[in-house]
Amino acid sequence: MITAAYIVIIILVLYSILVLLSNWRYKIQVNRLFSLMDKSAPRIFNFNQLSGLPSPVEKYFRLVLKEGSIYPGTIRLKHGGQFKTALDKPWIPIRGEQYFTTVPAGFIWKGNTALFSARDMYIGAKGRLEVFLLDALRIVNGKGEKFDQGELLRWLAESVWFPTNFLQDENKKWFVIDSKNARLRVSVDGLVLNYLVSFNKRGEIATLSTKRYMNGTLETWEISLSGYKEINSVSIPLLAEASWKIDGKKIPYARFEVQEIEYDMAFCF
């Protein structure tokens, strides 16, 4: 006769197997991200590269970078903060880890709350969003062209944590608007992205805003940045807030605080 205790044991075993499979798949995704990275010699930044840039953009780079800064190829970041599961839901604690590659464009983020874990990623020119209940049962598996665009937009906005990625090249172009604003246009993997970038009085990037798909329609998506601090000779924001603007109203849904960041680490999972 099957007892209640036996049923509980079976459920716990199945749950443990699902968690192990979920974590194993996450490791595969991270390893694939790093397997695609460009392994050529790193580039070196110099101030001559800033010639001809809009004045607020040049001021920003002179503030956050130093002569001889190395373009990082990989970045690992950990954060704490708060998150909303929907715009009308309450804030809940979240902690996350994120891995980036700069060439080619790529990242994977895993955020953990008490009830669910989520994974945003852009790997091999494909975007994806996965959500797991109790880090075990996948309940969301979003992919397709709209996710490709959205996850690539996230990668570009979060270049504030490795600002050499914003430097102008054959695929990135800055356009002047006025003394406090500029437009950034980027072409990556056949997609063209545009950001309105606003700078504070000090010259740091204060906000980045663009159009991003939300439930199938394009809405204004904005990242607000503050708490700049010099880490490894690069000045980066430690506080980031993501918001949607719906009918002219700004509604934040994520507030992250960077706790650790590492560049060009010796990766081994």
Side-chain angles (χ1 to χ4, degrees), residues 175-209:
F175 298 90
V176 64
I177 295 177
D178 54 36
S179 62
K180 294 182 179 180
N181 301 278
R183 182 167 64 88
L184 174 62
R185 185 181 68 197
V186 178
S187 176
V188 183
D189 296 330
L191 298 174
V192 177
L193 312 178
N194 285 277
Y195 267 103
L196 171 63
V197 184
S198 298
F199 302 85
N200 60 25
K201 291 181 179 180
R202 180 171 164 78
E204 301 156 339
I205 292 179
T207 62
L208 300 105
S209 60

Side-chain angles (χ1 to χ4, degrees), residues 202-222:
R202 180 171 164 78
E204 301 156 339
I205 292 179
T207 62
L208 300 105
S209 60
T210 188
K211 291 292 186 179
R212 183 176 176 177
Y213 284 102
M214 179 188 185
N215 299 326
T217 61
L218 284 171
E219 303 289 352
T220 299
W221 183 65
E222 182 175 283

Side-chain angles (χ1 to χ4, degrees), residues 28-251:
I28 289 176
Q29 290 167 331
V30 175
N31 280 311
R32 181 164 183 263
L33 170 70
F34 279 83
S35 73
L36 297 173
M37 65 173 286
D38 178 44
K39 297 177 177 62
S40 58
R43 298 175 61 189
I44 307 297
F45 165 74
N46 67 78
F47 286 121
N48 293 331
Q49 294 173 238
L50 306 182
S51 177
L53 287 177
S55 59
V57 180
E58 179 179 353
K59 181 179 180 181
Y60 165 73
F61 285 125
R62 289 188 179 276
L63 183 67
V64 302
L65 295 176
K66 288 181 169 57
E67 182 83 13
S69 294
I70 296 174
Y71 286 61
T74 61
I75 300 91
R76 176 168 55 195
L77 178 149
K78 292 185 178 181
H79 70 82
Q82 296 177 304
F83 189 78
K84 292 181 181 179
T85 56
L87 297 184
D88 59 349
K89 298 295 185 181
W91 291 100
I92 57 174
I94 191 168
R95 55 184 175 83
E97 66 177 1
Q98 192 161 358
Y99 298 89
F100 299 89
T101 57
T102 54
V103 182
F107 80 91
I108 182 167
W109 168 80
K110 183 179 180 182
N112 293 292
T113 73
L115 293 177
F116 73 90
S117 64
R119 298 175 197 170
D120 264 341
M121 67 193 80
Y122 186 83
I123 303 174
K126 297 295 182 182
R128 193 167 194 165
L129 167 65
E130 297 180 316
V131 179
F132 294 80
L133 181 64
L134 298 175
D135 206 25
L137 181 63
R138 188 168 67 182
I139 56 176
V140 174
N141 183 24
K143 54 186 176 179
E145 292 182 358
K146 292 180 175 62
F147 287 92
D148 297 344
Q149 184 247 27
E151 303 300 357
L152 187 56
L153 282 170
R154 174 172 178 171
W155 169 84
L156 182 58
E158 293 178 350
S159 295
V160 291
W161 293 318
F162 40 101
T164 51
N165 207 49
F166 282 141
L167 287 165
Q168 190 161 278
D169 57 26
E170 64 274 12
N171 297 314
K172 302 185 187 82
K173 179 71 174 177
W174 287 94
F175 298 90
V176 64
I177 295 177
D178 54 36
S179 62
K180 294 182 179 180
N181 301 278
R183 182 167 64 88
L184 174 62
R185 185 181 68 197
V186 178
S187 176
V188 183
D189 296 330
L191 298 174
V192 177
L193 312 178
N194 285 277
Y195 267 103
L196 171 63
V197 184
S198 298
F199 302 85
N200 60 25
K201 291 181 179 180
R202 180 171 164 78
E204 301 156 339
I205 292 179
T207 62
L208 300 105
S209 60
T210 188
K211 291 292 186 179
R212 183 176 176 177
Y213 284 102
M214 179 188 185
N215 299 326
T217 61
L218 284 171
E219 303 289 352
T220 299
W221 183 65
E222 182 175 283
I223 304 295
S224 300
L225 304 158
S226 59
Y228 277 77
K229 182 179 180 180
E230 186 174 304
I231 299 177
N232 297 326
S233 299
V234 181
S235 183
I236 61 171
L238 298 186
L239 302 175
E241 180 182 81
S243 305
W244 289 99
K245 285 188 176 180
I246 309 296
D247 297 327
K249 183 180 179 181
K250 180 178 176 179
I251 309 173

